Amino acid sequence: MDVDMIFKIAAVGIIVAVLNQLLIRSGREDQALLTTIAGLVVALMMIINEISDLFDTIKQVFGF
Amino acid sequence: MNIISICVAAIVTSVLAVLLKKHNAEYSLILTVCCVTLILMYLISSVVFAVSGIEDIFANSSIDITYMETLLKCVGICFVTEFTCDCCKDASQNALSSVVLMSGRICVLITAFPLFKEFLSLSLDLTGGGG
């Protein structure tokens, strides 16, 4: 069970939150939004691979 | 199947999710779905040998193999539907989760329909009421 995936996503979330605050405080709201969206895409890409592995395993084990 | 590691992973993930919920809620949702996926993957990898055991039991018994395949397919459908339904409910999308639940039930019904037919015809033959 590779739990490092959980910590990777948590790290991305925390970094994006900090960057968001940083950019908002320095007056660049639009870049803050772009940073959030970029971080979201990275996290989604990670989790989509994980979910596709899960569904493939289910399909293979239960004979879909 | 190490239950301790599953519980620790779940607790750590829920703490991290609460931490992330304040600043950006979408990451806490992604984190929760990721941890559920990992635990399910771990669960399935430990269930595999049970499934092959069931297949052996059914193989040398007189029961037809298609019944067992249908049974396993229904279990798989319930597995996937439950996972998706709870993830949608976690994201407070109750409409999505109920529609996934309904489609899961209908899918199981369709998969198990030949079984029903066979069972009905068998019972009719037994009671002698059939045509």
Side-chain angles (χ1 to χ4, degrees), chain B residues 22-23 38 54 57 79 85 109 114 122 127:
Chain B
K22 192 157 54 67
H23 292 289
L38 286 179
I54 289 174
I57 292 171
F79 219 78
C85 182
L109 204 61
L122 193 68
T127 57

Side-chain angles (χ1 to χ4, degrees), chain B residues 2-124:
Chain B
N2 185 352
I3 190 67
I4 306 291
S5 60
I6 287 177
C7 299
V8 166
I11 288 174
V12 166
T13 308
S14 48
V15 168
L16 286 175
V18 166
L19 165 73
L20 281 174
K21 193 172 275 292
K22 192 157 54 67
H23 292 289
N24 27 28
E26 58 269 8
Y27 285 97
S28 73
L29 174 65
I30 289 180
L31 198 68
T32 315
V33 170
C34 170
C35 182
V36 169
T37 313
L38 286 179
I39 291 181
L40 278 184
M41 186 79 85
Y42 183 67
L43 204 62
I44 286 183
S45 62
S46 55
V47 163
V48 167
F49 70 90
V51 170
S52 53
I54 289 174
E55 274 165 5
D56 299 345
I57 292 171
F58 269 83
N60 47 42
S61 77
S62 66
I63 306 171
D64 191 355
I65 201 73
T66 55
Y67 299 153
M68 203 276 296
E69 273 159 16
T70 314
L71 191 69
L72 275 183
K73 203 176 282 189
C74 290
V75 170
I77 290 173
C78 293
F79 219 78
V80 175
T81 311
E82 191 65 30
F83 166 74
T84 316
C85 182
D86 288 340
C87 286
C88 292
K89 212 169 281 183
D90 214 17
S92 65
Q93 302 290 334
N94 293 326
L96 277 178
S97 78
S98 66
V99 85
V100 167
L101 202 59
M102 204 191 315
S103 54
R105 288 195 187 114
I106 289 172
C107 209
V108 167
L109 204 61
I110 290 170
T111 312
F113 184 68
L115 238 62
F116 292 152
K117 217 158 44 163
E118 191 123 356
F119 175 71
L120 280 182
S121 62
L122 193 68
S123 56
L124 280 180

Side-chain angles (χ1 to χ4, degrees), chain A:
Chain A
M1 199 164 86
D2 48 353
V3 285
D4 55 354
M5 174 70 72
I6 295 176
F7 299 125
K8 255 187 258 179
I9 291 183
V12 167
I14 291 169
I15 289 171
V16 165
V18 169
L19 277 179
N20 221 352
Q21 292 301 325
L22 201 71
L23 287 171
I24 286 175
R25 289 291 177 274
S26 63
R28 295 183 182 76
E29 275 78 11
D30 47 359
Q31 285 168 5
L33 178 61
L34 290 179
T35 312
T36 307
I37 292 174
L40 205 59
V41 167
V42 167
L44 275 177
M45 283 311 292
M46 275 198 253
I47 194 162
I48 278 173
N49 293 331
E50 204 65 32
I51 290 182
S52 70
D53 288 352
L54 174 69
F55 283 163
D56 288 346
T57 315
I58 289 182
K59 208 179 288 185
Q60 183 244 334
V61 165
F62 291 106
F64 269 39

